[in-house]
Amino acid sequence: QAPLVESGGGLVQAGGSLRLSCAASGRTFTGYAMAWFRQAPGKEREFIAAIRWRDEITYYADSVKGRFAISRDSAKTTMFLQMNSLEPEDTVLYYCASREGRISSPSYYLRLDYQYSSWGQGTQVTVSA
């Protein structure tokens, strides 16, 4: 499948904000959902947020709820992750992922990394104290 490309990572002070982007090769994504995950070295991949592409229903991990917001553009080509009130614990590689097919019980299954077939290369977020 067409690769996903993340961007927008960088260095920010604690309490600051960043916005990550995930481009579906500059084309309209026609699949079911896209999501953000993050992973630190030696640790398991952690779900952050997901968005159903057609109706824009969103799902969040408890660890980021109220601080992060997932969205997509009206052209359905790009997914965003607005990150506010960043903390040093948010320092990690962030990945975007996509799923093509519909799935039942999305509130449960879209939190699982193996439900996604396409992944980006990752973008680094570093939050200084």
Side-chain angles (χ1 to χ4, degrees):
Q1 297 180 17
L4 305 175
V5 181
E6 303 99 336
S7 63
L11 176 64
V12 65
Q13 293 182 342
S17 299
L18 284 174
R19 189 180 72 159
L20 306 183
S21 299
C22 176
S25 301
R27 303 170 181 169
T28 299
F29 176 62
T30 60
Y32 178 63
M34 296 184 73
W36 289 99
F37 290 80
R38 63 187 183 184
Q39 187 173 26
K43 297 185 178 180
E44 295 183 347
R45 186 172 293 165
E46 177 189 8
F47 170 78
I48 300 174
I51 181 169
R52 295 196 329 210
W53 215 243
R54 182 184 63 82
D55 58 13
E56 300 181 78
I57 299 296
T58 58
Y59 309 90
Y60 291 94
D62 291 340
S63 60
V64 304
K65 190 174 299 182
R67 297 191 300 124
F68 293 4
I70 190 171
S71 63
R72 64 155 173 84
D73 65 346
S74 59
K76 301 180 181 180
T77 64
T78 308
M79 176 180 65
F80 304 99
L81 183 68
Q82 179 66 46
M83 304 186 294
N84 300 321
S85 301
L86 285 165
E87 305 168 352
E89 292 74 21
D90 298 318
T91 296
V92 71
L93 275 171
Y94 287 73
Y95 298 89
C96 66
S98 66
R99 175 181 173 83
E100 293 292 331
R102 294 179 178 271
I103 193 169
S104 61
S105 303
S107 63
Y108 174 79
Y109 286 104
L110 290 183
R111 300 174 185 270
L112 306 177
D113 56 359
Y114 64 81
Q115 295 290 340
Y116 299 86
S117 59
S118 297
W119 293 84
Q121 301 270 311
T123 185
Q124 177 68 43
V125 171
T126 302
V127 184
S128 62

